Each structure stands twice: as structure tokens, then as C-alpha cells.
Amino acid sequence: MAPRTTASRAPRKTADGASEARERLLRTASELFYAEGIHVVGVDRIVAAAGVTRATFYRHFPGKEDLVEAYLGVEDTNLRAALDGARAATDDPVELVGLLIEGIAEDVARHHTRGCPFINAAAEYPDADSGVRRAVDKHRAWFRGALEQVLTDAGVDDAVTRAGQLVLLRDAALVGGYLDGWDNVRVAFVSAARQAAGLEPAG
């Protein structure tokens, strides 16, 4: 048998240069963590489902909590990308507010049918000083700040308070959609969110 070359021993990479094994581990863990919970899913389960060795796992993630933080990082990146997509879709700052509300509704309906991944993770990590909780706090601070900026650009009064209301409404929509079914929540969420954002008068 011919000896393996240096190239054949090199870790396989994705098109953007990321480790294929790392991406597979992260994708597998993300699906399992969101569907079943974090603590209930062990490293052995993730390794088996991803089709890699434990050595490969620890080469990319020193511990399970590092993987959890990476999972939340993916969720954060996806939401930031959705906001960027909405901004690219319109030059009208008022229309952007409406697009964001509709985007949140669509996200809950299609991608987050089991609640908020950040709230779910925080519930499993009660230590406020843990890396996971810091990741959750960082994401929520960014999201609130992004909403404040969008509302300010739209000329809405008291953007800080209104942004806080939208954060709470999104939290409620994610939980309500999971518990009650999104079809029973969507109309109420969109109406309340548009009122909170100043797009419609309070009923």
C-alpha cells in the first residue's frame, strides 16, 4: 500500500476554508441542542451522529461548553444576516421596521418552532458568569441595540423603550409559538409589534 501523502493526511476543508469535521460537528450539535436540549445531549451522541472521533471533537472544541458557545454563535450570525438582508431590501427606514417584524414572524414560523435558542440555553446554564450566559447576554444586547438604531433611523419617538418592547414581544412570540402553535400567535404578535414600533396606533 502506498504511503499517505501530506496532502491526503490534511484535514478536509469546506469551500470557505473551514474544517469540514468542525462544521459537521457544529451542524449536528446545533440540530440536537435545539431539538432536544443541551445537557441531555452528550459528547458521545454528537460524535456518533457527526461521524467523527472523540479526538477530532476535542481538536476543535476543548470542551462541550465551547461547542455550545459556537452553536449560539451560529444563531447570532444568522440573526445578524437576516437584519442585513432586510436592510438590503429597502432604503426606506420606516419600511425596514415593518420588514424586520415580518422577518421575525417568518423566522419563528420556519426556523424556531421550539422556542428561543438563547432563552433555552440560559435556562440550562444558571451561572450568570458562565461563557454560555455571557454569549446570551452579548447577543441580546446587540439585538436590542440594533432595534434601537432601526427605530431611531425611522424617526420613532422613544426608540429605547420601543426596542425593549419589541425584544419582549419576540421572546413571547418564540415561546408562544412553541406552546400554542404559531398559527395561533402570529396575528397577535405582528399587531402588537407594529403598535410597539409606532407603525400603527394602539388599539
Side-chain angles (χ1 to χ4, degrees), residues 102-145:
E102 289 297 330
I104 290 171
E106 186 66 14
D107 175 70
V108 177
R110 296 182 58 191
H111 304 298
H112 290 112
T113 57
R114 196 180 177 277
C116 173
F118 293 93
I119 294 175
N120 294 349
E124 295 200 49
Y125 285 84
D127 181 2
D129 293 324
S130 69
V132 170
R133 287 294 296 274
R134 288 197 298 271
V136 171
D137 292 345
K138 182 179 179 181
H139 166 78
R140 290 179 67 82
W142 164 79
F143 184 57
R144 182 187 296 268

Side-chain angles (χ1 to χ4, degrees), residues 40-63:
V40 74
V41 176
V43 170
D44 288 341
R45 173 93 180 278
I46 296 167
V47 164
V52 302
T53 65
R54 285 181 68 90
T56 297
F57 175 91
Y58 289 112
R59 185 181 307 125
H60 294 291
F61 302 101

Side-chain angles (χ1 to χ4, degrees), residues 170-187:
R170 179 175 181 266
D171 289 344
L174 285 158
V175 175
Y178 172 49
L179 295 177
D180 302 326
W182 184 236
D183 289 344
N184 296 317
V185 174
R186 180 176 185 126
V187 172

